[in-house]
Amino acid sequence: MDSHDRIIQHFHDSIRTKQMAMDALAPAIVDAGELMVRCLSRDGKILSCGNGGSAADAQHFSSELLNRFEMERPGLPALALTTDSSTLTSIANDEAYEEVFAKQVRALGQNGDVLLAISTSGQSPNVAAAIRAAHERGVHVVAFSGKDGGPIAGLLQETDVEIRVPSNVTARIQEVHLLVIHCLCDLIDRSLFGSD
Ligand SMILES: O=C(CO)[C@@H](O)[C@H](O)[C@H](O)[C@H](O)COP(=O)(O)O
Ligand SMILES: [Zn+2]
């Protein structure tokens, strides 16, 4: 397959993954949006975490809440746990990399907050640890995953929401995670500030 055809194939695969995810995930995305709106309307905040591309997604989401998505509106309380290099390196150095998000959740999480936990495989131990810490603090969880959901799927409680992309390809899963982030931002803005 030459480069041009390979690129066309990536686009086709991404389109097909989004079409499958649209039908499978729409109800869970609504549930996640309602959970986040309830949290924000009660002066809660939304924490987010993930590794690699999912760390970027965690920061993308928090920036669109803190600053804005599409409509002009006041900033909303959100914090990505992936950005403070001094905190991340000191926890990893003094304790373990597995604790880098969980220790922040225990320090910052309050009852009624929401943690957006992102892992395309559902395998990342530090995201799993963050979910356990969230439950200790009465923080609800929205989990973005893919593949078979991994160990993270088994950690989720009744009040949590799992958005598992029906794909085994990390890049395709991430492409859907980003679309879901924008869907959630739209739901939050329309619920809290009315439709523009
Ligand atoms: O972005 C990509 C691949 O597209 C990678 O950086 C990927 O995020 C990293 O391999 C992560 O460590 C994968 O972790 P996870 O999504 O399985 O929890
Ligand atoms: Zn965006």
Side-chain angles (χ1 to χ4, degrees):
M1 184 185 299
D2 68 15
S3 300
H4 175 274
D5 291 350
R6 190 166 175 80
I7 287 165
I8 297 301
Q9 188 60 54
H10 286 319
F11 272 73
H12 278 306
D13 291 348
S14 191
I15 289 166
R16 189 166 50 250
T17 304
K18 284 183 177 172
Q19 284 173 326
M20 288 191 296
M22 174 177 65
D23 297 327
L25 301 181
I29 298 168
V30 171
D31 291 345
E34 288 173 352
L35 184 63
M36 291 180 169
V37 166
R38 255 196 318 278
C39 163
L40 294 167
S41 61
R42 295 171 183 167
D43 293 330
K45 62 184 173 297
I46 300 178
L47 305 174
S48 56
C49 67
N51 296 279
S54 295
D57 289 342
Q59 290 162 212
H60 193 140
F61 179 68
S62 64
S63 70
E64 288 184 329
L65 289 192
L66 281 163
N67 179 28
R68 51 166 283 177
F69 176 48
E70 291 176 335
M71 71 161 62
E72 280 305 326
R73 52 114 169 108
L76 295 167
L79 182 67
L81 303 177
T82 55
T83 62
D84 181 337
S85 56
S86 295
T87 297
L88 291 164
T89 55
S90 61
I91 296 172
N93 198 40
D94 299 346
E95 291 190 39
Y97 185 64
E98 180 170 334
E99 290 304 311
V100 293
F101 302 136
K103 189 150 193 179
Q104 293 184 76
V105 171
R106 289 193 185 93
L108 297 168
Q110 299 290 320
N111 190 53
D113 287 349
V114 169
L115 170 70
L116 174 59
I118 308 174
S119 172
T120 59
S121 65
Q123 298 281 344
S124 288
N126 59 0
V127 176
I131 290 171
R132 287 191 292 269
H135 291 153
E136 291 166 18
R137 301 285 296 162
V139 174
H140 299 294
V141 176
V142 173
F144 283 10
S145 67
K147 301 178 184 173
D148 64 4
I152 280 173
L155 294 177
L156 301 177
Q157 297 177 346
E158 275 299 300
T159 53
D160 299 331
V161 179
E162 181 185 26
I163 295 175
R164 186 191 307 178
V165 177
S167 173
N168 288 311
V169 179
T170 299
R172 303 292 83 82
I173 294 166
Q174 289 173 327
E175 287 150 13
V176 176
H177 283 174
L178 182 52
L179 177 53
V180 175
I181 280 170
H182 287 149
C183 289
L184 291 173
C185 289
D186 179 61
L187 286 176
I188 289 166
D189 280 6
R190 290 176 68 244
S191 300
L192 295 179
F193 303 97
S195 53
D196 53 341

